[in-house]
Amino acid sequence: MARVRLVAGNWKMHGSRTSVAALLDELVKANPLGCAVCAPFPYLAQVAERLRGTRIAWGAQNVSEHAQGAYTGEVAAAMLADFGCRYVIVGHSERRHIFGESDAQVAAKFAAAAKAGLTPILCVGETLEERDAGKTEAVVERQLSVVDFKGGVLAYEPVWAIGTGRNATPEQAQAVHGFLRKRVPADTPILYGGSVKPQNAAAIFAMPDVDGGLIGGASLVAKDFLDIVKAAAK
Ligand code: PEP
């Protein structure tokens, strides 16, 4: 994996067949380079079908750490790979904090995804309390150090900036990205995530160690997402 620019949309648990079709129509019309959309499981087949032959990649938002077996409700990495999935988000803060995923579980998910040939997008990031206590670097280092990180994309997502409308300043993002850069293979794309909007994207993406973004809310609005993709391409 080269150190490429990438903007990945995380649709979270939003959408319907109709809204997904409308959003994909707009994205395909623009057909930009350097972007991906991570959709809820039920819509992955629709996304795969609509994006076939386009420049837009797609991925899932979660994956099981288990290869197969009696794990009701889980989805294996091989199943995603089976129908052409490229990316999968692992360790999103909502998975860690709402569903209690541990660092070890996230590491196992990363390994399972990589083994199946997917490109995991590993999310790391500190809470506001941890930042205020001066623990940002220790937290992201702990989250990263348990992962056998090869061939993945890293996303720095401060928890206090996700879905809050409060983004890190470009300098705050750069400081953590610079710290992480020394701890992953040199060609690793490192994305910033946390309330990225068309209005703030260019300044964040101008930082030397920011290679693009992981975009939640704004990825559901075609024009906003495409403007953010454009900002990353500059
Ligand atoms: C995310 O879900 O990873 C995210 C960064 O969300 P938002 O852009 O809405 O803050």
Side-chain angles (χ1 to χ4, degrees), residues 10 12 92 94 157 161-164 193-197 214-218:
N10 173 16
K12 309 196 190 199
H92 191 280
E94 287 152 16
E157 297 210 305
I162 296 177
T164 59
S195 298
V196 176
K197 308 286 175 214
L214 183 54
I215 317 300

Side-chain angles (χ1 to χ4, degrees), residues 10 92-93 123-126 155-162 191-194 214-216:
N10 173 16
H92 191 280
S93 67
C123 301
V124 298
E126 81 289 2
Y156 169 55
E157 297 210 305
V159 179
W160 47 271
I162 296 177
L191 315 183
Y192 169 79
L214 183 54
I215 317 300

